[in-house]
Amino acid sequence: MNERAQSFANLIQAFNEAVLAFVDRCPEKAWHQTCKDEDWTVGVVARHVAAGHLQVTNLAQAMLQGEPLPPLTMDQVIEQGNTHARQHADCTREEVQTLLAENGDAAVAFVANLRDEDLDCKGHLDLVGGDVSVEQLLNLVIIQSGGQHLSSMQATIV
């Protein structure tokens, strides 16, 4: 087992557990409050984080197979997020818990089985204006963006 990959997988697992813990203890009333950073409800933001685990893992797998990343702009990412928010406006805590568990476990298992050369595999990401490695992409979406969403949800229910 690759120590670097396992360390990164542990980081993803710890983040996912933090989001799950937040969802578990989020009061029902707060679940429907709007997060000001996203303009989505707490439940929708949590579901967005859970769905992001699967989406970014799929992008990383494509990179490892030599496929180009889609030419995404920030406007497209925002529109995709808003579409997701409209489609899942009535998501339940149980639905989000299941997605976090399943997609989180899949992301952790995916990362834990990577080699250094896999983590270092690069692809061009228009969104950041250059090349990113698999590790950077996963970190950017799961840890950094996901962390911002978690902070937004936490600030909403205070």
Side-chain angles (χ1 to χ4, degrees), residues 9-139:
N10 291 344
L11 179 65
I12 292 170
Q13 183 171 7
F15 170 73
N16 197 59
E17 288 172 358
V19 178
L20 264 168
F22 171 84
V23 168
D24 289 346
R25 70 177 187 275
C26 180
E28 187 60 32
K29 181 179 176 185
W31 188 254
H32 302 286
Q33 290 178 323
T34 300
C35 297
K36 76 174 176 91
D37 291 344
E38 297 85 358
D39 200 26
W40 308 331
T41 65
V42 169
V44 168
V45 174
R47 191 184 191 292
H48 173 78
V49 170
H53 293 352
L54 179 62
Q55 292 167 338
V56 73
T57 301
N58 289 340
L59 287 175
Q61 288 174 330
M63 287 173 65
L64 293 173
Q65 294 168 355
E67 298 172 19
L69 293 172
L72 293 172
T73 66
M74 185 53 76
D75 287 342
Q76 289 170 316
V77 170
I78 290 168
E79 181 52 38
Q80 288 175 359
N82 287 333
T83 298
H84 176 268
R86 286 188 299 273
Q87 291 172 340
H88 301 285
D90 296 324
C91 64
T92 66
R93 179 188 321 271
E94 294 76 22
E95 172 189 351
V96 173
Q97 289 167 322
T98 299
L99 279 176
L100 281 166
E102 291 174 358
N103 293 351
D105 287 350
V108 168
F110 172 75
V111 170
N113 288 306
L114 296 177
R115 303 166 298 169
D116 282 345
E117 54 267 29
D118 297 329
L119 290 165
D120 295 333
C121 178
K122 292 195 182 245
H124 185 78
L125 184 61
D126 288 347
L127 189 61
V128 298
D131 289 346
V132 294
S133 68
V134 165
E135 183 175 21
Q136 289 169 325
L137 177 68
L138 291 163
N139 186 57

